[in-house]
Amino acid sequence: MARGMIDHVAIIGAGFSGTLLAVNLLRCDGPRATLIERAPVAGQGVAYGTVHRDHVLNVRAANMSAFPDEPDHFLRWLEARGVAATGASFVPRAVYGEYLRDLLAAARAAAPGRLAVVSGDAVDVARGRGVRVLLADGGAVAADAAVLAVGNLPPHLPRGLEGAAESLCYRGDPWDPAATAGLGDEDTVLLLGTGLTMVDVALALEARGFGGRIVAVSRRGLVPHRHASSPANEAPIAERPRGGLATLLHRGRVRAEAIGWRNAVDELRPYTQAMWGQADRHARARFLRHLRPWWDVHRHRLAPVVADRIARMIAGGRLTVLAAKPVAAAAVDGGLAVSLRRRGGDVVERIVVRRLVNCTGPQGDLSRTGEPLLATLTARGLIRPDAEHLGIDVDGVARTVAMDGTVDDRLYAIGPMTRGAFWEIVAVPDIRRQAWDLARRLSNAHWVGGEGL
């Protein structure tokens, strides 16, 4: 791809992925960029826009630099602002949001006229010799290429619970402050899911002083594990394990007995993207069906202070975690009656709740999404779901794949919605590398070896 062919890139979404891509384009002396963001504030996204100081990063500060070529960048930023933190600290996510906004402001100041931010809601991308991003207000942004950096999509309503969809007691967006508002100490709140999103909502409820009952359910009732008090000092494996993705479950169990699940999962991190990429559809399906729940709770862990608080909530009876499947929901006077089937049993029990919050985690199935832009692009055949319906189908360099199987070198996607191609692409260390690589490609700098230019 010749440098002169891409002079302007439209980036749809100014969360972590989009912001990092835009900043890196300028660092690479690449094309002009326009960030299109519908939220009031660009440069933070959902994860880092939280107002709760109890919501902290799930990765130590030492590994949260925005740039792979400057691994201590975030630590230096913290020090310059007088924030008391070490490389082992888990800082508030709101602080990380400030970091991203600072990066964006600094990039715009250093390269006047090369990075614009447009407030608007992208609803379509018209293709021609270049691209034209159409906005809900009738405006448009013309560019040579567009990048979908839409972040995580809201969770889907689990099948069988359609009866809850229209109820005012149901909250499909766990990040909406209204999800935890207006509750009394006599109320029961049911959280669908027991992962990281559940933890955030439970902490938000506690911060509001909610004194009622919180019940969290998932099929296996697994809660994310805690980070060790200090980084593991186990010697990492020297090469990628043989046997591919299909052997990970057995291998993981064997290694876990020797060094613990945390270390067994961590030592695979340098190899998981390649193993996922080389696995066939059958192996991926087996991984998702049998290993994913265990992988998630050991791979995406809680800061020790957060794990301690959740443990205290459970021990004190304020939070109950159940291994159960919700099978039906119906409106009743003042709430919702939800039917649950406990794991390993056939008996269905009924629980009446004042609030039902969907914490099943971000989803990416394009065939079920209500996101207007992605639904439109899918209906027009410009993009398609990946084989596992985890997100947008892309090739190895993040170019989108159309419904007919052709690759589009003017329409890209980055971030969590590309997990079908890369799997490990939901955390900062993975996304920052993807944004860096795509910025270099679009800047015609990807031939440069090493991390720097």
Side-chain angles (χ1 to χ4, degrees):
M1 181 183 300
R3 162 75 182 274
M5 294 177 63
I6 303 290
D7 290 323
H8 181 205
V9 178
I11 304 170
I12 303 171
F16 179 79
S17 303
T19 296
L20 258 291
L21 177 61
V23 171
N24 276 308
L25 285 173
L26 299 190
R27 294 179 79 227
C28 293
D29 191 26
R32 291 182 297 116
T34 296
L35 274 170
I36 303 169
E37 176 56 49
R38 63 186 171 197
V41 179
Q44 62 181 29
V46 172
Y48 309 116
T50 177
V51 297
H52 293 287
R53 303 296 291 189
D54 298 327
H55 291 168
V56 301
L57 297 172
N58 296 316
V59 177
R60 293 181 176 86
N63 204 20
M64 288 297 290
S65 169
F67 307 119
D69 58 327
E70 294 186 45
D72 64 343
H73 190 274
F74 182 50
L75 290 175
R76 288 190 281 111
W77 181 90
L78 289 171
E79 182 180 7
R81 279 148 188 81
V83 179
T86 68
S89 299
F90 296 87
V91 304
R93 296 210 299 260
V95 171
Y96 199 74
E98 295 173 15
Y99 171 59
L100 295 180
R101 293 193 296 276
D102 267 10
L103 291 180
L104 183 59
R108 297 182 73 183
R114 296 195 58 78
L115 174 55
V117 177
V118 171
S119 178
D121 195 355
V123 295
D124 200 358
V125 178
R127 286 289 281 111
R129 294 185 63 183
V131 298
R132 187 174 174 82
V133 181
L134 308 181
L135 307 179
D137 63 5
V141 175
D144 300 303
V147 180
L148 303 173
V150 297
N152 284 308
L153 299 184
H156 301 315
L157 181 66
R159 300 187 191 280
L161 299 187
E162 292 78 9
E166 302 303 320
S167 171
L168 295 178
C169 298
Y170 173 70
R171 295 291 188 272
D173 181 0
W175 308 110
D176 185 345
T180 55
L183 296 164
D185 290 352
E186 72 284 358
D187 292 328
T188 296
V189 177
L190 180 61
L191 307 181
L192 301 177
T194 59
L196 294 176
T197 305
M198 178 278 291
V199 170
D200 278 352
V201 175
L203 292 179
L205 285 165
E206 187 179 53
R208 283 182 175 269
F210 176 64
R213 182 187 181 202
I214 306 172
V215 180
V217 300
S218 66
R219 291 193 178 189
R220 292 175 174 81
L222 298 174
V223 176
H225 287 217
R226 60 181 291 143
H227 276 278
S229 57
S230 60
N233 55 11
E234 303 288 341
I237 54 178
E239 60 182 15
R240 190 174 75 187
R242 297 181 180 180
L245 199 65
T247 66
L248 273 187
L249 180 59
H250 174 70
R251 184 190 183 282
R253 287 171 174 163
V254 171
R255 288 293 287 166
E257 291 180 2
I259 63 175
W261 265 109
R262 295 185 186 93
N263 296 327
V265 170
D266 284 348
E267 70 178 3
L268 290 171
R269 181 164 185 167
Y271 312 106
T272 49
Q273 281 196 354
M275 295 172 73
W276 178 267
Q278 294 177 4
D280 59 28
R281 187 172 181 179
H282 177 70
R284 291 183 180 184
R286 289 190 65 243
F287 175 90
L288 294 174
R289 185 167 59 252
H290 299 296
L291 184 58
R292 182 178 186 177
W294 303 96
W295 182 272
D296 285 347
V297 298
H298 291 93
R299 171 68 181 82
H300 304 292
R301 299 191 290 271
L302 300 175
V305 64
V306 173
D308 288 344
R309 290 187 63 178
I310 292 298
R312 287 196 297 269
M313 291 179 71
I314 293 173
R318 301 191 305 278
L319 171 63
T320 301
V321 178
L322 301 178
K325 178 183 178 181
V327 294
V332 295
D333 186 26
L336 282 168
V338 182
S339 299
L340 303 174
R341 180 183 293 117
R342 296 287 186 105
R343 183 173 179 83
D346 296 324
V347 176
V348 174
E349 56 190 275
R350 183 173 177 265
I351 179 174
V352 177
V353 303
R354 178 66 177 171
R355 186 67 48 80
L356 177 64
V357 185
N358 194 337
C359 302
T360 54
Q363 301 298 319
D365 188 349
L366 296 183
S367 67
R368 299 182 63 191
T369 184
E371 166 60 47
L373 172 63
L374 298 184
T376 297
L377 295 179
T378 303
R380 293 179 52 214
L382 289 183
I383 62 175
R384 72 179 185 184
D386 60 74
E388 287 74 36
H389 285 259
L390 299 175
I392 302 168
D393 197 10
V394 297
D395 70 358
V397 294
R399 296 178 298 185
T400 58
V401 181
M403 201 66 72
D404 63 3
T406 59
V407 174
D408 192 338
D409 63 0
R410 296 303 176 107
L411 183 61
Y412 295 78
I414 62 170
M417 284 297 288
T418 63
R419 61 173 65 87
F422 304 109
W423 179 243
E424 288 274 40
I425 200 67
V426 298
V428 164
D430 307 301
I431 298 175
R432 71 181 171 206
R433 181 72 209 198
Q434 185 187 40
W436 168 256
D437 287 341
L438 181 55
R440 292 200 297 174
R441 180 177 184 83
L442 293 173
S443 305
N444 199 33
H446 54 291
W447 49 268
V448 179
E451 295 290 355
L453 295 175

PDB file of all heavy atoms in Angstrom, residues 248-260:
ATOM      1  N   LEU A 248      -5.096 -27.408  24.771  1.00  0.00           N
ATOM      2  CA  LEU A 248      -4.936 -26.443  25.852  1.00  0.00           C
ATOM      3  C   LEU A 248      -5.647 -26.866  27.131  1.00  0.00           C
ATOM      4  O   LEU A 248      -5.144 -26.630  28.231  1.00  0.00           O
ATOM      5  CB  LEU A 248      -5.448 -25.066  25.416  1.00  0.00           C
ATOM      6  CG  LEU A 248      -4.446 -24.170  24.687  1.00  0.00           C
ATOM      7  CD1 LEU A 248      -5.048 -22.795  24.479  1.00  0.00           C
ATOM      8  CD2 LEU A 248      -3.142 -24.063  25.443  1.00  0.00           C
ATOM      9  N   LEU A 249      -6.834 -27.435  27.012  1.00  0.00           N
ATOM     10  CA  LEU A 249      -7.581 -27.811  28.203  1.00  0.00           C
ATOM     11  C   LEU A 249      -6.802 -28.824  29.032  1.00  0.00           C
ATOM     12  O   LEU A 249      -6.594 -28.635  30.237  1.00  0.00           O
ATOM     13  CB  LEU A 249      -8.945 -28.370  27.821  1.00  0.00           C
ATOM     14  CG  LEU A 249      -9.843 -28.797  28.989  1.00  0.00           C
ATOM     15  CD1 LEU A 249     -10.090 -27.613  29.911  1.00  0.00           C
ATOM     16  CD2 LEU A 249     -11.151 -29.377  28.488  1.00  0.00           C
ATOM     17  N   HIS A 250      -6.347 -29.908  28.392  1.00  0.00           N
ATOM     18  CA  HIS A 250      -5.592 -30.928  29.111  1.00  0.00           C
ATOM     19  C   HIS A 250      -4.284 -30.352  29.627  1.00  0.00           C
ATOM     20  O   HIS A 250      -3.929 -30.545  30.800  1.00  0.00           O
ATOM     21  CB  HIS A 250      -5.303 -32.120  28.197  1.00  0.00           C
ATOM     22  CG  HIS A 250      -4.399 -33.144  28.818  1.00  0.00           C
ATOM     23  ND1 HIS A 250      -4.790 -33.952  29.862  1.00  0.00           N
ATOM     24  CD2 HIS A 250      -3.094 -33.452  28.558  1.00  0.00           C
ATOM     25  CE1 HIS A 250      -3.783 -34.734  30.210  1.00  0.00           C
ATOM     26  NE2 HIS A 250      -2.747 -34.450  29.439  1.00  0.00           N
ATOM     27  N   ARG A 251      -3.578 -29.621  28.761  1.00  0.00           N
ATOM     28  CA  ARG A 251      -2.298 -29.054  29.161  1.00  0.00           C
ATOM     29  C   ARG A 251      -2.470 -28.077  30.322  1.00  0.00           C
ATOM     30  O   ARG A 251      -1.682 -28.039  31.260  1.00  0.00           O
ATOM     31  CB  ARG A 251      -1.634 -28.351  27.988  1.00  0.00           C
ATOM     32  CG  ARG A 251      -0.253 -27.827  28.321  1.00  0.00           C
ATOM     33  CD  ARG A 251       0.305 -26.918  27.247  1.00  0.00           C
ATOM     34  NE  ARG A 251       1.651 -26.526  27.627  1.00  0.00           N
ATOM     35  CZ  ARG A 251       1.938 -25.592  28.542  1.00  0.00           C
ATOM     36  NH1 ARG A 251       0.952 -24.985  29.169  1.00  0.00           N
ATOM     37  NH2 ARG A 251       3.188 -25.285  28.833  1.00  0.00           N
ATOM     38  N   GLY A 252      -3.539 -27.254  30.236  1.00  0.00           N
ATOM     39  CA  GLY A 252      -3.777 -26.286  31.291  1.00  0.00           C
ATOM     40  C   GLY A 252      -3.968 -26.945  32.642  1.00  0.00           C
ATOM     41  O   GLY A 252      -3.438 -26.485  33.657  1.00  0.00           O
ATOM     42  N   ARG A 253      -4.704 -28.052  32.654  1.00  0.00           N
ATOM     43  CA  ARG A 253      -4.934 -28.751  33.921  1.00  0.00           C
ATOM     44  C   ARG A 253      -3.640 -29.332  34.481  1.00  0.00           C
ATOM     45  O   ARG A 253      -3.386 -29.271  35.689  1.00  0.00           O
ATOM     46  CB  ARG A 253      -5.971 -29.857  33.713  1.00  0.00           C
ATOM     47  CG  ARG A 253      -7.394 -29.316  33.528  1.00  0.00           C
ATOM     48  CD  ARG A 253      -8.344 -30.403  33.117  1.00  0.00           C
ATOM     49  NE  ARG A 253      -9.724 -29.917  33.071  1.00  0.00           N
ATOM     50  CZ  ARG A 253     -10.718 -30.537  32.442  1.00  0.00           C
ATOM     51  NH1 ARG A 253     -10.479 -31.677  31.810  1.00  0.00           N
ATOM     52  NH2 ARG A 253     -11.924 -30.029  32.452  1.00  0.00           N
ATOM     53  N   VAL A 254      -2.824 -29.887  33.605  1.00  0.00           N
ATOM     54  CA  VAL A 254      -1.556 -30.476  34.048  1.00  0.00           C
ATOM     55  C   VAL A 254      -0.634 -29.400  34.607  1.00  0.00           C
ATOM     56  O   VAL A 254      -0.060 -29.543  35.694  1.00  0.00           O
ATOM     57  CB  VAL A 254      -0.881 -31.225  32.884  1.00  0.00           C
ATOM     58  CG1 VAL A 254       0.537 -31.658  33.283  1.00  0.00           C
ATOM     59  CG2 VAL A 254      -1.710 -32.431  32.471  1.00  0.00           C
ATOM     60  N   ARG A 255      -0.501 -28.298  33.866  1.00  0.00           N
ATOM     61  CA  ARG A 255       0.373 -27.217  34.314  1.00  0.00           C
ATOM     62  C   ARG A 255      -0.160 -26.557  35.588  1.00  0.00           C
ATOM     63  O   ARG A 255       0.592 -26.118  36.449  1.00  0.00           O
ATOM     64  CB  ARG A 255       0.542 -26.188  33.206  1.00  0.00           C
ATOM     65  CG  ARG A 255       1.391 -26.656  32.047  1.00  0.00           C
ATOM     66  CD  ARG A 255       2.835 -26.848  32.474  1.00  0.00           C
ATOM     67  NE  ARG A 255       3.519 -25.590  32.689  1.00  0.00           N
ATOM     68  CZ  ARG A 255       4.688 -25.464  33.311  1.00  0.00           C
ATOM     69  NH1 ARG A 255       5.289 -26.547  33.802  1.00  0.00           N
ATOM     70  NH2 ARG A 255       5.254 -24.284  33.471  1.00  0.00           N
ATOM     71  N   ALA A 256      -1.492 -26.473  35.683  1.00  0.00           N
ATOM     72  CA  ALA A 256      -2.085 -25.847  36.867  1.00  0.00           C
ATOM     73  C   ALA A 256      -1.726 -26.620  38.127  1.00  0.00           C
ATOM     74  O   ALA A 256      -1.518 -26.024  39.189  1.00  0.00           O
ATOM     75  CB  ALA A 256      -3.597 -25.761  36.707  1.00  0.00           C
ATOM     76  N   GLU A 257      -1.660 -27.938  38.023  1.00  0.00           N
ATOM     77  CA  GLU A 257      -1.287 -28.738  39.186  1.00  0.00           C
ATOM     78  C   GLU A 257       0.149 -28.469  39.601  1.00  0.00           C
ATOM     79  O   GLU A 257       0.490 -28.554  40.776  1.00  0.00           O
ATOM     80  CB  GLU A 257      -1.472 -30.222  38.880  1.00  0.00           C
ATOM     81  CG  GLU A 257      -2.939 -30.643  38.735  1.00  0.00           C
ATOM     82  CD  GLU A 257      -3.074 -32.123  38.430  1.00  0.00           C
ATOM     83  OE1 GLU A 257      -2.024 -32.805  38.368  1.00  0.00           O
ATOM     84  OE2 GLU A 257      -4.213 -32.595  38.255  1.00  0.00           O
ATOM     85  N   ALA A 258       0.984 -28.114  38.609  1.00  0.00           N
ATOM     86  CA  ALA A 258       2.400 -27.894  38.896  1.00  0.00           C
ATOM     87  C   ALA A 258       2.694 -26.468  39.360  1.00  0.00           C
ATOM     88  O   ALA A 258       3.457 -26.257  40.310  1.00  0.00           O
ATOM     89  CB  ALA A 258       3.238 -28.216  37.652  1.00  0.00           C
ATOM     90  N   ILE A 259       2.078 -25.475  38.707  1.00  0.00           N
ATOM     91  CA  ILE A 259       2.435 -24.083  39.002  1.00  0.00           C
ATOM     92  C   ILE A 259       1.233 -23.199  39.324  1.00  0.00           C
ATOM     93  O   ILE A 259       1.388 -21.996  39.539  1.00  0.00           O
ATOM     94  CB  ILE A 259       3.214 -23.458  37.819  1.00  0.00           C
ATOM     95  CG1 ILE A 259       2.358 -23.404  36.554  1.00  0.00           C
ATOM     96  CG2 ILE A 259       4.503 -24.214  37.554  1.00  0.00           C
ATOM     97  CD1 ILE A 259       3.030 -22.680  35.388  1.00  0.00           C
ATOM     98  N   GLY A 260       0.020 -23.782  39.340  1.00  0.00           N
ATOM     99  CA  GLY A 260      -1.175 -22.995  39.627  1.00  0.00           C
ATOM    100  C   GLY A 260      -1.817 -22.485  38.349  1.00  0.00           C
ATOM    101  O   GLY A 260      -1.136 -22.263  37.343  1.00  0.00           O
TER     102      GLY A 260
END
